[in-house]
Structure formats: C-alpha cells, structure tokens
Amino acid sequence: MDSRMPRLLIALSAVIVAFIIITQLVSASRTAGRTASDPGSGDWPMWGGTPDRNMVSGAKNLPSTWDVAKKTNVKWVASLGSQSYGNPVVAGGTVFLGTNNEGLRDPKQGGDRGVVMAFDEKTGEFLWQLTHEKLSAGRVNDWPFQGVASSPAVEGDRLYYVSNRAELVCADTKGFRDDENDGPITDEKFKGKFDGDIVWKFDMVEEVGSHPHNLANSSPVIYGDLILISTSNGQDESHVNIPSPKAPSMVAVNKKTGKLVWEVNNVFDKILHGQWSSAAVGKLGGVEQVVIGEGDGWVRGYEVATGKKLWEFDTNPKDSVWPKTRNEIIATPVLFDNKVYIANGQDPEHGEGVGHLYCIDATKRGDLTKDGLVWHFDKIRRSISTGALHDGLLYYPDFSGFLHCIDAKTGKELWQHDLFAAIWGSPLVADGKVYLGDEDGDVVILQAGKEKKLIAEVNMGSSVYSSPVPANGALFIMNRNQIFALAVSAGSPAQSKAGGSRQ
Ligand SMILES: [Ca+2]
Ligand SMILES: [Ca+2]
C-alpha cells in the first residue's frame, strides 16, 4: 500500500469532519431561523405570516417606538373606513386589508359595504378596492358597518379572502391596473383603475347552506391547491335556533377552479353561537393537518388533503355552562413542534369571563381531551387572540387586557403585563420585541424574554383591534380607521436602544 494513503485518508477525514461540522452549524442556524415563522421572503402574505399561524418573524431593525402625531418613525399613513377588522397582509409590494365603506373612496359605490383595499407598500398610495354590498338579512348574517373582517391570503398574483357576504373571493392582486380582466368572472360592475378584478367567487350561503352568524370572517389558509376556510355557520337572531345544522363548519375549495373539494361538519346542532376561528395548517406527527376551533368549543385536527377527522379536543370543562362558563373559540390555533396552542373565549359583546389556554399533543388520535393534554393554563381570561411562540415562550393575551408570558413546555406563567384595556388583536414577536395593541389605541412594546421589560407604549389615536404585521423592514399597524407603516428613520432619536440584541 502506498505510504501516502493513511495521510491522505487522515486529510480526507479531516475535510469530511470539517464539512460535517459546517453542515451541522448551517443546519443549526437554519433550525434557529425556523423559530421565526414568517416565510423568510420579507413579506407577510397571510394571517399569521405562515400556515402555522405563529405570530413570529425574523425581521430585524423594527422600530422600538414611534410617534404618530410627530410622524417620528412613521413612513406613511393611509385612511380606511370607520371600522377595520381585516388584518393587513403584505405581499409583492402591496398591502391588502379589510375595512368598511365609511371612507367612501368611490361615491358610485356608496352605502354600507364591506371593502378590501390595496395600497402600495412603499408609499401608501391607494391602488384599488373591492366593495361588497351587505346581505339583505341584516345583522343576523352581516352586521352593519363591520366591513370585511377576513385577513386575505396572497399567493403569486392571486388574493383570497372571505367577504361580508360569506363568499370566498379570488381576486387579481393587480386589480384592473394591468388592463386585464381575469375570469371566469368578467362582468364586474366597476372596472376602473381603482377597482379590484374578481377571478372567481365561492358563495358559502348558496353552495353549502351556511348561515353566517353576525359576520363571516374567516382568514383563508392555502395548502397546495386547497383554500381552507371556516363557514362561520351559526345560530339565528334568537340565539336558540340553528337554521342550518347540516352546513359544514369548514370547507376546502380548489384555488384554481373555485370548486368545493371537501367539507366537514362535526358540530351540527351543537353550535354554541357562531364560528369565527380561522384554520392553521402544518405537519404534526408526520401528517399534514388542518386545525380549527369549531362552534361547539372543540378544536379539531383533520387530514388536510381529505378532511378526514384525526382528533378532537374539548376546550371547556365538562361542568361548564354556556354562556357563563362555557366558551366558544374565536382564536386561531398556533401549530408548533407537533403541538397545538389555543385559548377559548367569547364574542367581545359578551364581555369578560373565565378562559382556558391549552397545549395539545396533535400526534395522537381520537378524543384527546384527556389523552392529548400537555398542559392547561386556567389563569387566563376569555381570549379571542392568537398566540406567538418564540424561544420556548408563549405570549398569549386575554380579552381582560393581560398579556401572559408562559413557558411553552410546562404551561407555567413567567410574567404578565396589564394593558388596562381589552385586547382584540394578537401579539407579534420580532426583533427581540413583543408588539401588542389594545382597545384604548395603545401599542405596547415589550422585550421578548423570561424577564418582563416594557420598552415603550405608543398611542395610535384610536382603538387597535388588529395585530402588528412585519414586512420588509417595516411594521404595519391598523387602528379603527387608518393604517400606519412604521420604520426606523436614519438617525432618529426615537429609535430606542432598549430593544436589545436578538438571541
Ligand atoms: Ca387584472
Ligand atoms: Ca375579473
């Protein structure tokens, strides 16, 4: 044997070992990066950023404070309707959101309507809108002046949202600005430069018999060719009858054709009130699942491709009684590391009350109320918010105004912060900070971590019912009637150093 061989082998092994170490380091850094659940493109194209709905972003250099009156760290402001619940998303250089028609951008489209608006991400220039007349039944199906409450999902040049008329709408992200009318729908009444271009609609009232209670609000999530949405099917005005118990709680619609692929219903006449939870999608226990809170207060996991039920979990103690102690689910489930994190609560109109927050092991099957319980946190009040899980800490607010920081493994609370006002929105964890808005219009900025540290509190001028959204170095925050794009201006004294370094 050549005497050089062992030395060559040793050298080669060293190279291989170095390669393995480097690969592991790269892989470790990627794993660390994955704790941020935004898509990594800089955009935030759907409610929660990604299908797992975890409100966490790897964005850097976001402002630690700002001043909307002095315009410090304010890139632009745009005016909306008088009530805005359709949380903004950002994709392909455009910001999309849902509001009502009280901003009256086009006098030819007057009256009470639900509206989706598109703005230029860099300048805030108004690009186009789609307006939807109210359902004729009125408040039972389509509450006055609530507008579009769905947060759109964007993929490529297509935008998907649920209108106030309980239609899943597929629209062209460019509207009519590209001088093309995309079909099959080409008979839009308004086809001007500032009008939206509808591609197809799936009407949940006509197609699956949904009777939306008060407002259809679902924020779509996309999986392959499927769009998954809640139908918002619920009670009638008497709060006793369920007019459409056979209508599904959730449907999957083909994103290209707008045709129904599957539907599920496990609630029938057990709907407590309405169905306003949106779905989350992720691989849990090796299976691609769609998870959603349903009208009987149970959260369920389904095989996303087929709608086959995999597991279910009752979020209410068995001795609880609606509406005093038994709750519905308005929050969106957060999927993380084979587990589901979700709290229950009630319609904000019902006020405050006891709540429950759970961590569920979604690798198991069947009734997981006992078998799948990882932990139960009962020091939370009713909540309609979705959580944010980062670095082993779950940030979860309640409607009574408390933000809880909880050890995601054990369910033990590390700290809480009182915002002194109702919280409708959800926290965002990004750039080492936690951002959260409240009904008084305050946004608190806290340091992310095991120790509580308040960095700043900024008033936005009117109630913040939405959730802060990060995209491409800016933060987008909507109050009742405006959207603000916030970004650190060079040399700005308002950029606090207290944001600290990111782990
Ligand atoms: Ca078009
Ligand atoms: Ca069209």
Side-chain angles (χ1 to χ4, degrees):
M1 187 189 268
D2 192 315
S3 65
R4 286 172 306 175
M5 278 300 281
R7 268 180 291 166
L8 196 65
L9 280 174
I10 289 164
L12 204 60
S13 318
V15 168
I16 289 167
V17 167
F19 177 76
I20 289 169
I21 289 170
I22 288 165
T23 309
Q24 281 173 345
L25 283 173
V26 168
S27 152
S29 72
R30 279 192 189 139
T31 307
R34 267 209 308 273
T35 61
S37 87
D38 58 1
S41 63
D43 281 351
W44 189 266
M46 73 190 81
W47 171 238
T50 39
D52 60 12
R53 309 295 200 179
N54 191 13
M55 307 275 171
V56 173
S57 164
K60 299 268 196 308
N61 199 31
L62 295 176
S64 297
T65 189
W66 54 90
D67 187 321
V68 297
K70 293 180 182 158
K71 298 279 169 74
T72 313
N73 284 348
V74 176
K75 203 169 150 191
W76 55 259
V77 190
S79 62
L80 311 175
S82 63
Q83 295 188 55
S84 310
Y85 300 107
N87 213 65
V89 298
V90 184
T94 310
V95 179
F96 304 93
L97 55 82
T99 183
N100 70 12
N101 200 32
E102 295 304 284
L104 195 61
R105 292 261 177 188
D106 178 5
K108 291 197 295 297
Q109 302 177 54
D112 188 7
R113 291 170 186 244
V115 183
V116 162
M117 289 183 179
F119 296 93
D120 185 281
E121 182 190 351
K122 287 208 167 57
T123 64
E125 180 196 356
F126 172 70
L127 298 176
W128 58 258
Q129 67 172 0
L130 273 168
T131 72
H132 303 274
E133 290 175 11
K134 301 297 276 186
L135 286 171
S136 55
R139 55 199 285 170
V140 59
N141 293 143
D142 189 0
W143 200 273
F145 304 107
Q146 302 287 281
V148 168
S150 164
S151 186
V154 184
E155 194 179 82
D157 57 2
R158 290 291 178 263
L159 167 78
Y160 306 89
Y161 64 92
V162 172
S163 76
N164 51 295
R165 300 177 64 86
E167 304 152 319
L168 172 61
V169 178
C170 170
D172 175 13
T173 55
K174 299 279 188 271
F176 283 115
R177 290 179 160 250
D178 59 356
D179 294 321
E180 282 172 22
N181 188 347
D182 294 349
I185 291 179
T186 52
D187 61 348
E188 288 93 341
K189 196 170 170 192
F190 302 98
K191 295 181 181 128
K193 184 182 172 191
F194 298 107
D195 294 312
D197 176 5
I198 295 174
V199 180
W200 55 255
K201 280 185 194 175
F202 179 84
D203 185 330
M204 292 189 279
V205 177
E206 275 182 20
E207 300 285 342
V208 295
S210 175
H211 179 90
H213 185 82
N214 295 354
L215 190 65
N217 71 320
S218 189
S219 298
V221 58
I222 304 170
Y223 172 79
D225 280 346
L226 301 181
I227 310 283
L228 302 130
I229 45 167
S230 157
T231 61
S232 293
N233 188 43
Q235 294 178 330
D236 69 6
E237 217 153 14
S238 70
H239 288 103
V240 177
N241 303 317
I242 294 160
S244 199
K246 288 182 179 165
S249 56
M250 176 168 59
V251 292
V253 175
N254 183 291
K255 73 180 180 191
K256 290 172 185 150
T257 64
K259 301 288 180 231
L260 182 71
V261 177
W262 56 253
E263 58 177 78
V264 292
N265 186 6
N266 289 284
V267 294
F268 299 101
D269 59 354
K270 298 191 297 291
I271 299 171
L272 297 165
H273 186 205
Q275 304 197 79
W276 296 295
S277 172
S278 289
V281 169
K283 196 179 238 184
L284 304 162
V287 178
E288 298 282 2
Q289 300 191 23
V290 54
V291 180
I292 190 166
E294 298 190 314
D296 53 354
W298 289 61
V299 54
R300 293 187 174 86
Y302 300 90
E303 190 177 78
V304 65
T306 62
K308 179 188 161 203
K309 187 171 79 179
L310 299 171
W311 58 267
E312 54 194 339
F313 184 99
D314 188 0
T315 69
N316 284 294
K318 295 301 179 191
D319 60 354
S320 60
V321 180
W322 172 265
K324 198 161 188 274
T325 50
R326 181 165 290 257
N327 287 337
E328 53 193 322
I329 304 172
I330 296 171
T332 305
V334 167
L335 314 185
F336 190 93
D337 192 20
N338 294 322
K339 293 175 192 71
V340 175
Y341 298 83
I342 192 163
N344 65 17
Q346 289 187 30
D347 178 348
E349 295 262 327
H350 295 194
E352 299 175 37
V354 295
H356 301 274
L357 169 64
Y358 298 93
C359 173
I360 304 161
D361 178 352
T363 65
K364 299 185 175 177
R365 297 292 174 262
D367 183 343
L368 301 188
T369 309
K370 283 187 189 138
D371 295 345
L373 178 69
V374 180
W375 52 256
H376 172 204
F377 179 69
D378 63 359
K379 304 286 186 293
I380 193 166
R381 306 283 286 163
R382 287 177 187 165
S383 176
I384 61 172
S385 303
T386 301
L389 199 162
H390 181 63
D391 272 352
L393 303 175
L394 175 67
Y395 302 89
Y396 217 113
D398 62 36
F399 191 70
S400 292
F402 296 97
L403 171 66
H404 304 270
C405 174
I406 293 159
D407 184 318
K409 281 243 161 14
T410 64
K412 297 279 178 285
E413 183 170 67
L414 297 168
W415 52 261
Q416 61 171 252
H417 184 71
D418 190 355
L419 276 72
F420 297 105
I423 298 165
W424 294 53
S426 303
L428 167 72
V429 179
D431 198 20
K433 296 173 279 254
V434 184
Y435 297 88
L436 178 64
D438 71 21
E439 190 167 35
D440 281 351
D442 293 319
V443 173
V444 292
I445 300 106
L446 292 135
Q447 187 169 295
K450 290 179 179 172
E451 311 283 323
K452 183 169 98 167
K453 186 177 177 189
L454 181 67
I455 297 169
E457 187 174 289
V458 183
N459 193 274
M460 303 302 290
S462 74
S463 299
V464 176
Y465 294 129
S466 71
S467 309
V469 160
N472 306 306
L475 199 58
F476 296 85
I477 299 182
M478 191 167 74
N479 65 15
R480 283 173 75 101
N481 53 4
Q482 292 167 300
I483 179 167
F484 298 85
L486 308 163
V488 178
S489 348
S492 166
Q495 170 62 2
S496 164
K497 291 271 189 284
S501 58
R502 246 180 89 74
Q503 304 87 329

